[in-house]
Amino acid sequence: MTAWWYNAVIYQIYPRSFYDANGDGIGDLPGIIARLDYLQALGVDAIWLNPVYPSPMRDFGYDVSDYCDIDPVFGDMADMQKLINEVHRRGMRIIMDMVFNHTSHQHPWFKASVDNVAPFADFYIWAKNPHDVNQLPNNWRSAFGGSAWRWHHKKQAYYLHSFLPAQPDLNWRNPAVEKAAFTILDFWLARGIDGFRFDVINLLYKDQHLQNNPLRFGGIGRPYEWQQHRHDRNQPETHTFLQRLRRHLDNAGDILSIGEIMYDKYETSATAASFCGQQDELHLTFNFELLHARFNAQAMHHALQRWYQALGDNWPSITFSNHDFKRQISRLGKHAQQSKAKLLAMLALTVKGTPVLYYGEEIGMAEEPVRKREIQDPAGQFYWPLYKGRDGCRRPMCWDDSEYGGFSAQRSWLPISPACAQKNVQAAQQDNNSLWHSYRQLLQLRRQTPCLHAGEIRLLPVKNQIFCFERSYQGTCLRVMLNLSGHPQKLSWHTQHAEKCLYNNQGAANNVRPAQLNPWQGLIFHCQEALAQDVLC
Ligand code: ISL
Ligand code: CA
């Protein structure tokens, strides 16, 4: 039996911003339930929710204070159970976010750890510099600014926080932590959850001796990036832990594990791939190299080639947006955005791998930074104006052109984007030429065409800015040709190409073999047999 996620398309929902059912300005679980028909009609197979657990919301849910409940702002356990059931009733799946590197400082474990209550005293990473208690234990930095250590007066020790001081890191070298984590997974599995997205999973283990990280001379970006993260990430113990995690989930059934691997621009997606192991660690990991790749044929070709090579027999995930980075359409340059977005949609949904879409991507929601006084994201508050934070990609979903974007009955937690008046679901559905219709058609085509989700892939050399690849499956061969440029590009045809066109992102899929591709045009043709590597598009 093939695991469900091989041929699925996952849709990421940032729950605060999807749909507000009770009119308090914040999205919630009943809101997601109300929009499941929309998602089903769009044609996605699964949803991934960012954290919805009780939380003081210092990092909007990535600071969990109880892993086995729902924050009242989102609803309650009954709403969650209803959501799970309603998702399943539609033949869809649901994935929850699991934040195991750290908890909230309000979590009872942390409070007990501070008070040295057994067995929690060593649940977190506490340290003192043996030579001088006034000195930090080492030079590690927090991703959200400053030292990664904070002195705790009551405990008379420093604790490690890779993110905010309100997010103390758990001590995974303590076996009781792993045991507690597996119990949490079982709690949700018993309620019908189909998979987990594991937050910054390569950070769980840190060097046992807390050695200083080497500095990175000439580093750019945040001070966090001015050092090599040799001792606070990617420790060998992570792999053996992931093998235990994999066995635990596989024993529970057809459950997906998809990991977020934190790596910087000095590393490649091979780092992310390494946490899939020999198909015995995570099922999938995210590839941020692809997300940051330039929008041209050569860059896409290289990023994908590297990803497939590094993965070997492991299965790829494909993603171009999430809740941490600038929205994809705004990374494509100002010119011809809609055409480029259609082409990128085609790429995401036709290359080999499990696509993960981000809410609003289907209507081309753009990145819109908020004003300084409206910033909610702690990273934006700390680094502004050097870095404006992640609010710009977390604005409420645009459902219609009404005052609050059809998202809420009142002012929302982040302001509704002014662009909602034009770009919204209602308008997109009424316009046959919209990006939304492209997504819908491609999702349908993908579902009906096993070759597009299950087929092997062969990337062909880039010529004339055409990104070209073949998918083959059980005797079917498809050739996808994408012109990633604003100029017409010549195509040469060979007898092996059959005449049947399956898809044209700029109009009807007629079977005429064009002599050229229009700017930003993409076509899928059947081919009778796979062409030799040197035969170009
Ligand atoms: O968003 C970033 C830059 O500000 C990333 O460096 C981000 O912190 C990193 O990808 C880890 O992200 C994950 O863990 C964080 C949380 O804030 C992010 O939303 C989450 O995706 C801490 O839990
Ligand atoms: Ca609400």
Side-chain angles (χ1 to χ4, degrees):
M1 194 192 71
T2 313
W4 69 263
W5 42 268
Y6 272 111
N7 50 23
V9 176
I10 302 171
Y11 184 98
Q12 178 189 354
I13 292 178
Y14 196 71
R16 291 183 82 81
S17 292
F18 198 56
Y19 183 60
D20 172 22
N22 67 352
D24 64 355
I26 304 177
D28 43 48
L29 297 182
I32 299 174
I33 297 171
R35 296 296 178 170
L36 285 178
D37 286 342
Y38 164 79
L39 295 173
Q40 192 179 23
L42 179 64
V44 296
D45 305 283
I47 56 174
W48 149 34
L49 307 188
N50 291 99
V52 287
Y53 315 103
S55 162
M57 301 290 167
R58 299 287 176 84
D59 190 19
F60 296 103
Y62 283 94
D63 46 331
V64 180
S65 53
D66 179 354
Y67 290 85
C68 297
D69 206 346
I70 297 296
D71 193 280
V73 83
F74 297 121
D76 58 20
M77 274 307 275
D79 294 322
M80 188 65 200
Q81 194 61 62
K82 185 166 177 212
L83 173 61
I84 297 170
N85 298 345
E86 288 295 315
V87 165
H88 288 164
R89 201 166 63 78
R90 288 169 177 79
M92 293 161 69
R93 312 274 182 160
I94 177 164
I95 299 164
M96 285 186 99
D97 218 308
M98 240 346 133
V99 192
F100 278 163
N101 177 66
H102 44 267
T103 69
S104 158
H105 65 320
Q106 310 258 315
H107 197 290
W109 294 345
F110 190 67
K111 294 181 180 167
S113 193
V114 168
D115 292 336
N116 290 318
V117 177
F120 301 104
D122 295 326
F123 252 50
Y124 293 82
I125 303 181
W126 297 101
K128 267 186 215 177
N129 191 319
H131 311 294
D132 179 358
V133 285
N134 293 318
Q135 257 194 24
L136 299 171
N138 65 23
N139 72 350
W140 297 355
R141 304 196 71 97
S142 148
F144 290 160
S147 164
W149 296 99
R150 163 133 326 182
W151 179 255
H152 201 291
H153 188 70
K154 199 167 175 198
K155 180 102 172 179
Q156 283 293 297
Y158 288 94
Y159 67 89
L160 183 75
H161 60 90
S162 297
F163 297 90
L164 294 175
Q167 294 168 296
D169 283 36
L170 284 162
N171 173 19
W172 279 81
R173 293 187 180 276
N174 179 347
V177 168
E178 180 173 315
K179 202 157 167 258
F182 283 9
T183 307
I184 291 163
L185 296 177
D186 293 344
F187 174 89
W188 288 108
L189 289 171
R191 277 152 189 82
I193 289 299
D194 301 291
F196 299 96
R197 176 264 186 197
F198 291 103
D199 192 56
V200 294
I201 198 76
N202 60 324
L203 265 61
L204 294 200
Y205 285 86
K206 281 88 180 172
D207 175 53
Q208 196 158 14
H209 307 292
L210 305 179
Q211 296 176 73
N212 279 331
N213 276 331
L215 299 182
R216 184 183 298 286
F217 294 104
I220 41 168
R222 305 171 287 180
Y224 180 70
E225 274 129 41
W226 302 351
Q227 50 182 236
Q228 299 170 42
H229 293 281
R230 190 179 295 167
H231 299 300
D232 56 352
R233 292 182 192 169
N234 303 345
Q235 300 303 297
E237 293 86 348
T238 318
H239 295 282
T240 38
F241 160 69
L242 288 176
Q243 287 165 3
R244 293 193 293 279
L245 177 74
R246 171 70 169 257
R247 279 198 297 273
H248 191 85
L249 295 180
D250 284 354
N251 285 338
D254 189 5
I255 307 297
L256 169 66
S257 59
I258 175 165
E260 184 205 28
I261 308 301
M262 201 169 170
Y263 61 98
D264 49 42
K265 32 191 165 301
Y266 306 97
E267 295 161 279
T268 69
S269 55
T271 305
S274 72
F275 290 94
C276 293
Q278 308 292 318
Q279 291 181 280
D280 58 354
E281 298 183 33
L282 292 160
H283 295 103
L284 299 174
T285 58
F286 288 107
N287 169 3
F288 295 139
E289 200 182 329
L290 201 57
L291 191 146
H292 295 303
R294 289 166 63 90
F295 189 63
N296 67 53
Q298 204 70 52
M300 287 294 165
H301 179 102
H302 274 142
L304 274 169
Q305 191 173 43
R306 192 155 34 204
W307 186 219
Y308 294 139
Q309 265 170 12
L311 282 164
D313 288 335
N314 294 303
W315 191 252
S317 77
I318 304 291
T319 191
F320 288 99
S321 283
N322 70 24
H323 63 293
D324 288 334
F325 300 110
K326 192 169 177 176
R327 276 189 175 268
Q328 70 178 40
I329 197 161
S330 306
R331 285 185 267 118
L332 299 178
K334 289 226 171 348
H335 171 69
Q337 267 190 353
Q338 163 106 352
S339 310
K340 292 181 197 165
K342 282 186 180 177
L343 198 61
L344 192 57
M346 192 170 167
L347 193 153
L349 294 169
T350 58
V351 294
K352 178 181 165 185
T354 297
V356 186
L357 310 178
Y358 184 49
Y359 83 97
E361 181 179 322
E362 73 275 26
I363 51 167
M365 272 178 74
E367 177 79 11
E368 292 200 54
V370 298
R371 281 189 281 261
K372 185 168 185 267
R373 62 184 158 80
E374 292 163 339
I375 292 182
Q376 301 280 338
D377 178 21
Q381 284 165 348
F382 188 89
Y383 287 114
W384 200 92
L386 177 72
Y387 169 64
K388 294 191 175 135
R390 301 167 292 182
D391 299 311
C393 65
R394 297 176 177 179
R395 290 213 196 203
M397 178 74 171
C398 300
W399 295 101
D400 61 36
D401 62 1
S402 62
E403 188 179 0
Y404 301 114
F407 165 74
S408 174
Q410 62 141 312
R411 226 178 105 91
S412 45
W413 75 287
L414 277 175
I416 300 287
S417 149
C420 272
Q422 290 83 40
K423 260 193 209 175
N424 57 64
V425 170
Q426 197 179 50
Q429 288 178 331
Q430 283 160 10
D431 171 7
N432 283 335
N433 200 23
S434 68
L435 180 60
W436 186 85
H437 279 285
S438 297
Y439 270 95
R440 197 168 111 97
Q441 284 159 10
L442 284 160
L443 285 162
Q444 257 172 21
L445 181 69
R446 196 185 144 93
R447 194 180 287 253
Q448 294 155 3
T449 318
C451 188
L452 280 181
H453 50 76
E456 258 319 313
I457 192 163
R458 196 157 66 106
L459 301 177
L460 295 172
V462 171
K463 194 183 152 197
N464 299 338
Q465 277 303 313
I466 298 177
F467 178 56
C468 187
F469 55 91
E470 285 174 356
R471 304 290 311 269
S472 51
Y473 182 69
Q474 295 185 344
T476 308
C477 172
L478 298 176
R479 169 166 289 221
V480 182
M481 294 170 277
L482 308 171
N483 178 6
L484 271 82
S485 82
H487 306 284
Q489 302 287 359
K490 275 205 178 61
L491 280 176
S492 49
W493 292 92
H494 300 267
T495 45
Q496 289 98 321
H497 287 117
E499 307 261 319
K500 191 160 182 289
C501 179
L502 212 62
Y503 184 77
N504 170 4
N505 73 341
Q506 294 185 350
N510 68 36
N511 287 332
V512 178
R513 301 192 302 187
Q516 63 174 35
L517 283 178
N518 299 329
W520 318 116
Q521 189 175 25
L523 296 175
I524 307 178
F525 264 84
H526 270 286
C527 40
Q528 282 166 344
E529 57 187 87
L531 296 180
Q533 192 79 23
D534 56 336
V535 181
L536 302 178
C537 289

